[in-house]
Amino acid sequence: MTLLTELEVRLATALTNALGAPTSAAVTAAADLRFGDYQSNAAMVLAKQQKMNPRALAQQIIDELDLTGLATADIAGPGFINFRILPEAYAARAAGLIRDERLGVPATGTGKTVVVDFSAPNVAKPMHVGHIRSTIIGDSLARIARFLGFKVIADNHIGDWGTQFGMIIYGWNHFLDEEALAADPIPELVRVYRKVNAATQENPTVLDDCKSELVKLQAGDPGNLAIWQKCIEVSKSGLQKIYDRLDVKFDFWHGESFYNERLAGLVEEFLEKGIARESNGAVCIFSDGTKALDADPFKVHKEDGWTDNPAIIRKADGGFLYATTDLATIQYRMDEWRADHIWYVVGVPQQLHFRQLFDAAARWGKVGDFQHIEFGSILGDDRKLMKTRSGDNVGLIEVLEEAVERAARAIAEKNPDLQGEEAAEIAEIVGIGAVKFAELSQNRLTDYVFSWDRMLALQGDTAPYLQYSHVRIRSIFRKLDAPFDVSSATIHLNEAAEIHLVRLLVRFGEVLPTILEDFRPNLLANYVLELARAFHSFFEACPVLKADEPIRSSRLALCDLTSRTLKQGLQLLGIDVPERM
Ligand code: ARG
């Protein structure tokens, strides 16, 4: 049980006694440490309900509170109850964490299956910054959910089917450079795609040719199918290289094409069940009229009032759409994988698509927890959407390469002893970690301005700062003559900086589960920063190796626990730590 939960349990007993009916209330970490470690506004909330004086009720609750061996409590302001944890309770907690592989993190997700749908780039189109955000945020959420005990299925729903393949096949037949494709497939496919795009603008008959290639592909023409297949294969292997570098893993790559043969039956079923109907030759899902207009994804407000905003699931020409595939995907994930939760990590522009999708799925009887975990844009220094010099959207690979290059330069400056392969490996870990942390430390909903200097700074809210903190802690242990046996250490807390460090160490198990309440890895990013800062203050105020026993062992154990917690926290953000830097 976390410290916070323990306080809640004891508070619930006191509340029940004070009010004479089973009552519980939340405890939160204190916003301002001057008032204590934790607080509760229970007295204020309950006094309002019961028309009582909040401070008087707070006093009644405190009189009933048994905090023996744990904390002291007092009343502040209009009726807050503040808890101050006893140093011996912190010491006992720290001693427990030292022996706990899970670092105090409860398994809140046990027994639940969650499908995380993230990254999902489109074949033959470059991965843009939206895919970068999805990849980094999605991977971190998958890691956190796994650590919390969920059964996680990471699924890469790549765009491997659709109208772009008419153009790609045309380009493959007319413009492909086989050698370039073999060397580096993704840029070559993108080049071909762009070239066809330009050709269609110059010569409208090219567009017709592309369309007939698409029709042939959809009709199962063996030649076109073979090109399509080859295209997917080379794209996947190109993507896999990027994912390897990012240390991002998928359990499945069920792209859009995986669901092709389910779509016709799905549309028939929607027609039969009356969830969809024909409109101008197309099959569409309209509002079922059960929701308020402004909460109905199938209604939209235009100048002359509310009008229908249907989702098409079959075009008049018989073609299926993104929404059709996503409906089939939900069915598959629920039937085959028994998904309890499906999390879609996709940018804000697809909000309407997911609102319609979830509404249609519910009407279809698919009951589960579906979440669109949306995010804003990455902006360049000019606060416009980030672009390369040539005006293109910035690709993931370019960002990674530049980050690693810059990290290499910074490391060479700071520590010229590091050379060759070791220096290159460290630059890779630091550069990629910096990009990930810059992403994950932001509130995902806000647009953020991308800044190389800020993300790679050694002093600042950055991955390099955290990685360096970890290196610094481990270097303490390298100075010892004999390996340190943590398990035999006892914990003694006297100094304020020491107590503050433990206060944060104990919070790890409290912070992690809250991240999934509204999918904010930035809470973890902020936590590890705070932990690192607390460590540096501790290290400045409290001698470790020069202290006398048993303080020396106690402090060494805190150092060890801090490095494990930092490393685990970073690992859950998808960030590795180097041995040296
Ligand atoms: N391929 C899509 C895109 O790049 C993202 C797919 C997201 N996942 C989904 N199930 N719709 O915009």
Side-chain angles (χ1 to χ4, degrees):
M1 206 193 291
T2 63
L3 203 45
L4 190 145
T5 311
E6 167 121 42
L7 285 170
E8 282 179 343
V9 168
R10 298 208 193 184
L11 178 63
T13 309
L15 286 172
T16 303
N17 290 343
L19 297 170
T23 315
S24 61
V27 171
T28 57
D32 186 337
L33 292 178
R34 279 174 306 175
F35 301 123
D37 301 301
Y38 294 89
Q39 65 185 39
S40 174
N41 62 0
M44 286 139 74
V45 174
L46 293 166
K48 201 169 184 180
Q49 284 169 15
Q50 320 243 345
K51 306 214 179 343
M52 292 168 77
N53 174 319
R55 282 190 67 101
L57 178 60
Q59 189 55 56
Q60 233 176 303
I61 297 167
I62 287 184
D63 291 342
E64 291 288 348
L65 257 174
D66 175 11
L67 294 173
T68 319
L70 185 66
T72 57
D74 54 35
I75 307 171
F80 282 107
I81 300 176
N82 291 328
F83 300 95
R84 219 174 282 274
I85 303 299
L86 303 172
E88 60 262 37
Y90 269 140
R93 286 273 162 179
L97 293 180
I98 284 166
R99 290 161 187 85
D100 181 7
E101 251 176 52
R102 293 187 53 82
L103 296 160
V105 179
T108 49
T110 312
K112 291 276 160 41
T113 298
V114 33
V115 175
V116 190
D117 179 322
F118 68 103
S119 196
N122 301 315
V123 169
K125 293 189 186 167
M127 251 204 202
H128 56 72
V129 283
H131 296 118
I132 302 179
R133 296 201 79 173
S134 173
T135 307
I136 296 175
I137 297 172
D139 176 56
S140 176
L141 291 174
R143 287 168 185 256
I144 292 166
R146 215 173 276 130
F147 192 69
L148 285 170
F150 287 90
K151 178 170 183 258
V152 172
I153 298 178
D155 187 15
N156 198 1
H157 189 79
I158 55 171
D160 60 357
W161 193 253
T163 47
Q164 85 253 38
F165 281 95
M167 288 166 80
I168 297 162
I169 291 170
Y170 179 90
W172 188 282
N173 292 333
H174 290 83
F175 306 127
L176 191 70
D177 175 345
E178 301 266 359
E179 249 168 65
L181 186 79
D184 202 355
I186 293 178
E188 174 56 11
L189 285 178
V190 170
R191 187 192 66 83
V192 166
Y193 180 77
R194 289 211 172 114
K195 202 155 160 129
V196 181
N197 213 356
T200 57
Q201 318 256 296
E202 276 162 31
N203 183 353
T205 65
V206 174
L207 198 59
D208 294 332
D209 292 343
C210 292
K211 279 189 189 147
S212 58
E213 295 298 358
L214 182 65
V215 172
K216 271 168 71 184
L217 173 70
Q218 287 170 339
D221 173 80
N224 277 9
L225 269 178
I227 294 175
W228 169 75
Q229 215 132 31
K230 178 86 193 155
C231 199
I232 305 298
E233 208 177 283
V234 295
S235 294
K236 276 190 181 170
S237 75
L239 286 171
Q240 187 59 53
K241 285 200 192 106
I242 302 179
Y243 294 134
D244 286 345
R245 221 172 145 180
L246 287 170
D247 192 21
V248 167
K249 294 189 181 65
F250 290 99
D251 301 294
F252 295 95
W253 291 58
H254 286 347
E256 294 179 19
S257 69
F258 180 83
Y259 301 95
N260 278 351
E261 73 259 36
R262 297 163 190 265
L263 305 183
L266 184 146
V267 171
E268 290 310 321
E269 189 183 336
F270 268 62
L271 281 169
E272 258 163 51
K273 297 201 162 134
I275 310 168
R277 62 180 151 87
E278 277 196 33
S279 171
N280 296 326
V283 177
C284 304
I285 303 174
F286 287 89
S287 166
D288 65 355
T290 62
K291 277 160 287 287
L293 286 165
D294 56 358
D296 191 331
F298 297 101
K299 290 283 182 188
V300 65
H301 193 77
K302 298 235 170 95
E303 303 91 68
D304 44 359
W306 290 94
T307 62
D308 284 330
N309 187 28
I312 307 178
I313 56 173
R314 193 175 73 203
K315 288 188 287 186
D317 69 7
F320 302 109
L321 295 102
Y322 187 51
T324 329
T325 308
D326 256 329
L327 284 166
T329 306
I330 288 185
Q331 182 175 43
Y332 179 87
R333 287 171 176 168
M334 297 191 80
D335 290 354
E336 299 297 318
W337 293 339
R338 302 265 155 236
D340 300 294
H341 308 270
I342 306 179
W343 299 343
Y344 299 86
V345 189
V346 185
V348 168
Q350 293 192 29
Q351 196 180 72
L352 178 66
H353 167 73
F354 285 107
R355 286 177 59 221
Q356 293 188 330
L357 179 67
F358 299 163
D359 189 273
R363 282 155 64 184
W364 191 23
K366 306 291 166 212
V367 189
D369 168 46
F370 309 136
Q371 300 282 347
H372 177 201
I373 301 172
E374 53 189 359
F375 49 79
S377 309
I378 308 183
L379 309 177
D381 290 336
D382 55 0
R383 301 200 162 255
K384 297 218 180 79
L385 224 54
M386 201 165 128
K387 302 262 175 180
T388 61
R389 245 165 271 137
S390 59
D392 290 331
N393 286 331
V394 178
L396 178 51
I397 274 293
E398 288 91 335
V399 172
L400 295 183
E401 304 258 290
E402 180 150 0
V404 171
E405 242 167 66
R406 285 177 187 249
R409 264 181 269 146
I411 290 162
E413 226 166 80
K414 173 137 181 74
N415 193 348
D417 295 348
L418 292 171
Q419 290 288 331
E421 213 171 291
E422 188 184 12
E425 268 168 35
I426 296 171
E428 180 84 11
I429 294 175
V430 172
I432 289 180
V435 171
K436 288 189 177 183
F437 194 81
E439 170 64 58
L440 294 169
S441 55
Q442 303 292 324
N443 178 329
R444 65 183 158 80
L445 286 168
T446 48
D447 295 345
Y448 81 88
V449 177
F450 193 91
S451 155
W452 291 112
D453 294 333
R454 223 183 314 127
M455 106 174 36
L456 284 157
L458 267 184
Q459 295 299 329
D461 297 349
T462 63
Y465 167 69
L466 294 162
Q467 291 165 322
Y468 180 68
S469 304
H470 185 264
V471 167
R472 189 160 165 200
I473 304 175
R474 293 323 305 171
S475 74
I476 301 167
F477 292 90
R478 277 198 284 274
K479 292 193 192 115
L480 298 176
D481 303 327
F484 173 64
D485 175 19
V486 199
S487 64
S488 64
T490 49
I491 301 296
H492 305 267
L493 302 178
N494 302 302
E495 304 296 326
E498 232 165 11
I499 292 174
H500 184 54
L501 179 61
V502 172
R503 173 186 288 129
L504 283 166
L505 288 166
V506 159
R507 298 266 305 128
F508 189 55
E510 297 171 358
V511 170
L512 266 193
T514 63
I515 293 165
L516 297 188
E517 282 168 15
D518 47 7
F519 310 102
R520 291 188 196 282
N522 59 315
L523 297 180
L524 176 56
N526 292 342
Y527 169 80
V528 282
L529 281 173
E530 249 192 289
L531 178 62
R533 282 192 215 111
F535 176 78
H536 289 285
S537 310
F538 155 80
F539 203 55
E540 238 155 61
C542 306
V544 176
L545 294 175
K546 292 206 175 78
D548 294 326
E549 287 298 350
I551 301 296
R552 184 175 184 268
S553 286
S554 168
R555 290 184 178 164
L556 275 170
L558 293 184
C559 289
D560 186 63
L561 181 58
T562 306
S563 76
R564 281 171 56 212
T565 309
L566 260 185
K567 187 173 181 174
Q568 181 66 68
L570 286 169
Q571 200 267 329
L572 294 173
L573 295 169
I575 297 170
D576 200 1
V577 288
E579 283 301 307
R580 302 207 289 159
M581 67 187 271

